[in-house]
Amino acid sequence: MNNTLLELKNISYKYKNNLILNKVNLKINSGEKIALLGKSGSGKTTLISVLNGTIKPTQGEVKLFNKSFEELDRKQKSKITTIWQDLRLIEDLTAEQNVNCGQLAEKNFYFAIKNLLNISSFKKAHKYMQLCRLHNSVYDKNIRKLSGGQKQRVAIARSLIQGSNILLADEPFNNLDPKLITTIKKLLLENVDKTNTKKSPKTALVSLHRLDFLKDFDKVIGIRDGKIFFNIRRNNLKKLHLDKIY
Amino acid sequence: MNKLKLNYTSLSFLPILVCIPLGYQLINNIHFGGIKLFQEFLISAFNPRIENEIIITVINRLNETILIGFFSWLVSIIFGAIFGIISSNIFYKIFNIPNFFYRTIRVFLTIIRSIHEVVWGLVLMQIYGINFSIGIIAICIPYIAVNSKVFAEQLETIDYKRFESINQINAPKFSTLLTIVWNPIINTFKNFGLYRLECSIRSTVILGLFGIGGIGTSIFSPFIRVHFSKSRKKWDILIEAYFLHSPFIRITKII
């Protein structure tokens, strides 16, 4: 269990003279489910962007599988999947085409063309959309025509279809009703494909605002003004900790 | 009464002042020397004498014009899209190519675009002589550069977050590129493509005036000699062809 997957060493990130992340050190071990807490603007999204390699830190080192991002090949990088707070779906495409985009890493160029021409197989996409409780009437709808909750689930389905074992999610339960949240939480934190026993356990770092969701996580990280204030096991979390970050 | 304030908004109307000397010049230099010629042209244009021989010639010339225009359009729109992609910043971000190449290709395309197709035609005619393909090449060269600018500008408007999200999936670079640029390219083609066909046909007519073929070549010799009476039958049909051609293009746009 003490097998480090992701590691941040002394990470700082500056944007327009503002220090967004300030000397952050973090280790994420295989199979850990970590909740990331913090106020809006505390640096949660930036931390996720640094962890998935979207943002290059101004200072420090990010390691995935004990290698820096530059040393990793494309297949290794694709082990991380991200659910963005603003979803980042492709607006001109249908829901099923968007979900299929999650398979681009493992498929060839021909698949990308077929997906854009709407002639590829959507069987796998439909399976994941079903898991996310998306009704089949929305499968071929343009993403612009979907509600906030439906878009949220399309983004989650796109992330799940990637089959990655490291999940980074930025407030993934926005726009979802309580019943759906239970289903989606289970999908995100457990391996969907139970038949694949070779798969390593799912590792997740999820940024949250709702404290009642914490019971599903092993660890809790509190961030404020770009600094990690605590990184503790969930059972040890006290009100004192929360007072520090909120 | 509101006072006239001198601010940036009012200053932006200053160029209108140019109209005053321009209008003065126009009124001062007016003369009716060419009015007889114009009358002759109008009478010839609206007094058709349709003869089989003339109709066949005009149809052949029209076919030539449309063929040159269509081929130039097809080549320039396809290569315009390709050059549009490689002159947009999204391409350089995906393939991690230094910005120097981005600027170089944009400068190169700006130079190509700044030279009119007639100039390209005249230059190419000196090298290859007058033939059908010169018309296509002369139109294609600047048109590829013009189209590439339009495509590139559309691609520059792509939300950077969309790029980040697809890039983060770590798909093969060409799959990432295609997925990101596909819809902006298709939408630009839909909105802009037929207009460029219209431009292409118009340029073919203009290049025809320089002997490359098509309708332009037909009207060139009587036009230069101002012998409307001799070319009367051709003018008749050409004017009609023009009026037919324009709605045709516009109707296809609507469809």
Side-chain angles (χ1 to χ4, degrees):
Chain A
M1 191 81 173
N2 219 8
N3 179 12
T4 305
L5 287 182
L6 261 166
E7 190 177 5
L8 299 186
K9 280 185 179 173
N10 211 23
I11 292 291
S12 292
Y13 179 71
K14 242 184 182 180
Y15 182 72
K16 290 181 182 170
N17 285 331
N18 293 323
L19 198 59
I20 315 286
L21 291 179
N22 188 3
K23 292 178 184 165
V24 171
N25 288 291
L26 178 67
K27 270 186 185 179
I28 300 175
N29 298 321
S30 174
E32 274 183 338
K33 316 276 189 283
I34 305 169
L36 181 64
L37 301 179
K39 282 195 291 191
S40 296
S42 58
K44 298 192 298 288
T45 304
T46 311
L47 181 66
I48 286 172
S49 301
V50 168
L51 282 166
N52 68 23
T54 304
I55 287 179
K56 274 190 182 175
T58 322
Q59 187 195 312
E61 200 182 4
V62 187
K63 283 193 165 183
L64 175 66
F65 309 121
N66 280 322
K67 285 179 178 175
S68 69
F69 264 108
E70 287 73 25
E71 291 172 306
L72 296 169
D73 62 28
R74 190 177 59 77
K75 287 272 175 193
Q76 285 173 308
K77 283 183 193 168
S78 68
K79 298 272 184 226
I80 300 179
T81 182
T82 309
I83 300 168
W84 304 88
Q85 190 183 4
D86 52 3
L87 310 178
R88 304 190 184 185
L89 297 166
I90 301 179
E91 295 232 315
D92 313 288
L93 301 183
T94 63
E96 56 195 5
Q97 281 175 309
N98 263 290
V99 174
N100 254 357
C101 283
Q103 295 188 76
L104 288 176
E106 60 180 73
K107 303 276 186 175
N108 56 18
F109 183 62
Y110 184 56
F111 175 83
I113 296 174
K114 285 205 321 188
N115 186 40
L116 292 165
L117 293 172
N118 222 350
I119 52 168
S120 70
S121 163
F122 292 110
K123 219 174 165 182
K124 199 174 173 187
H126 291 169
K127 181 188 147 192
Y128 281 89
M129 289 167 94
Q130 249 170 8
L131 284 171
C132 293
R133 301 280 186 271
L134 277 162
H135 194 261
N136 56 14
S137 62
V138 303
Y139 290 176
D140 59 351
K141 263 193 185 168
N142 188 295
I143 211 76
R144 285 198 189 116
K145 292 180 182 162
L146 304 188
S147 70
Q150 286 169 330
K151 281 182 189 175
Q152 186 80 31
R153 282 177 280 159
V154 170
I156 291 166
R158 182 178 72 175
S159 145
L160 291 172
I161 207 171
Q162 272 182 260
S164 314
N165 276 325
I166 307 170
L167 167 80
L168 303 172
D170 198 356
E171 296 175 29
F173 309 118
N174 286 350
N175 306 311
L176 301 178
D177 59 62
K179 206 176 166 189
L180 271 171
I181 289 175
T182 315
T183 313
I184 298 295
K185 225 179 342 176
K186 212 172 171 191
L187 283 171
L188 292 180
L189 300 178
E190 290 171 18
N191 276 335
V192 177
D193 193 356
K194 302 276 187 199
T195 54
N196 190 351
T197 48
K198 280 181 186 172
K199 270 193 173 176
S200 53
K202 200 158 194 173
T203 309
L205 180 120
V206 180
S207 93
L208 294 171
H209 274 307
R210 282 180 58 176
L211 302 177
D212 54 321
F213 293 161
L214 288 179
K215 61 181 188 304
D216 299 293
F217 295 87
D218 312 315
K219 278 172 90 177
V220 185
I221 293 174
I223 187 169
R224 191 180 133 187
D225 300 329
K227 263 193 166 180
I228 290 185
F229 269 68
F230 57 85
N231 182 358
I232 51 171
R233 300 213 69 79
R234 178 179 50 90
N235 300 335
N236 299 335
L237 184 73
K238 304 255 163 36
K239 193 179 171 291
L240 178 82
H241 292 111
L242 297 173
D243 288 343
K244 276 184 186 173
I245 55 162
Y246 285 111
Chain B
M1 204 172 112
N2 291 331
K3 280 184 183 176
L4 182 69
K5 284 180 187 169
L6 197 66
N7 54 23
Y8 286 116
T9 316
S10 55
L11 280 175
S12 67
F13 287 100
L14 268 180
I16 292 172
L17 294 178
V18 174
C19 296
I20 296 168
L22 191 70
Y24 176 76
Q25 280 291 317
L26 280 173
I27 292 163
N28 224 20
N29 294 337
I30 200 159
H31 73 89
F32 295 96
I35 202 83
K36 201 172 166 244
L37 202 64
F38 187 63
Q39 273 174 345
E40 204 182 320
F41 166 74
L42 282 180
I43 292 163
S44 305
F46 292 99
N47 184 20
R49 276 192 214 162
I50 297 163
E51 287 172 20
N52 282 347
E53 195 192 325
I54 304 291
I55 291 173
I56 289 162
T57 312
V58 169
I59 287 171
N60 287 340
R61 293 297 195 187
L62 257 175
N63 285 343
E64 274 176 36
T65 303
I66 289 168
L67 209 63
I68 296 173
F70 180 76
F71 272 112
S72 334
W73 169 77
L74 195 65
V75 174
S76 64
I77 207 90
I78 292 169
F79 281 92
I82 294 168
F83 276 93
I85 293 169
I86 60 171
S87 61
S88 68
N89 56 11
I90 210 90
F91 178 79
Y92 294 84
K93 276 174 194 156
I94 291 173
F95 289 93
N96 287 326
I97 301 169
N99 254 359
F100 164 77
F101 293 100
Y102 168 70
R103 275 185 244 115
T104 309
I105 196 156
R106 292 209 105 171
V107 168
F108 170 72
L109 288 169
T110 308
I111 295 166
I112 300 285
R113 194 170 61 239
S114 65
I115 301 167
H116 196 270
E117 55 268 23
V118 169
V119 178
W120 283 111
L122 291 171
V123 169
L124 289 167
M125 266 193 265
Q126 310 311 313
I127 303 167
Y128 298 104
I130 296 172
N131 66 62
F132 190 81
S133 55
I134 292 304
I136 296 175
I137 299 167
I139 295 171
C140 279
I141 296 170
Y143 271 41
I144 287 172
V146 170
N147 294 344
S148 73
K149 183 178 167 58
V150 178
F151 281 111
E153 276 177 3
Q154 281 305 307
L155 297 180
E156 307 271 295
T157 62
I158 291 175
D159 183 9
Y160 188 68
K161 285 179 176 173
R162 182 202 287 190
F163 157 71
E164 278 183 346
S165 123
I166 295 294
N167 205 36
Q168 204 278 314
I169 292 168
N170 286 298
K173 288 184 188 303
F174 276 106
S175 300
T176 305
L177 178 73
L178 190 76
T179 305
I180 293 170
V181 305
W182 181 266
N183 277 299
I185 290 281
I186 297 293
N187 291 339
T188 311
F189 178 77
K190 276 186 201 163
N191 299 331
F192 178 72
L194 276 169
Y195 165 68
R196 294 310 294 173
L197 175 62
E198 194 178 321
C199 295
S200 191
I201 290 174
R202 218 161 28 222
S203 291
T204 311
V205 175
I206 301 296
L207 273 169
L209 297 176
F210 296 87
I212 265 159
I215 274 178
T217 305
S218 266
I219 59 175
F220 174 68
S221 57
F223 183 82
I224 202 81
R225 281 175 277 144
V226 211
H227 282 171
F228 295 128
S229 53
K230 284 188 183 171
S231 62
R232 188 166 168 172
K233 296 157 196 168
K234 279 180 190 166
W235 274 109
D236 300 339
I237 298 168
L238 285 173
I239 294 246
E240 278 154 31
Y242 173 78
F243 283 114
L244 282 171
H245 151 77
S246 295
F248 167 73
I249 296 279
R250 277 171 184 86
I251 286 163
T252 45
K253 258 185 187 176
I254 294 161
I255 294 164

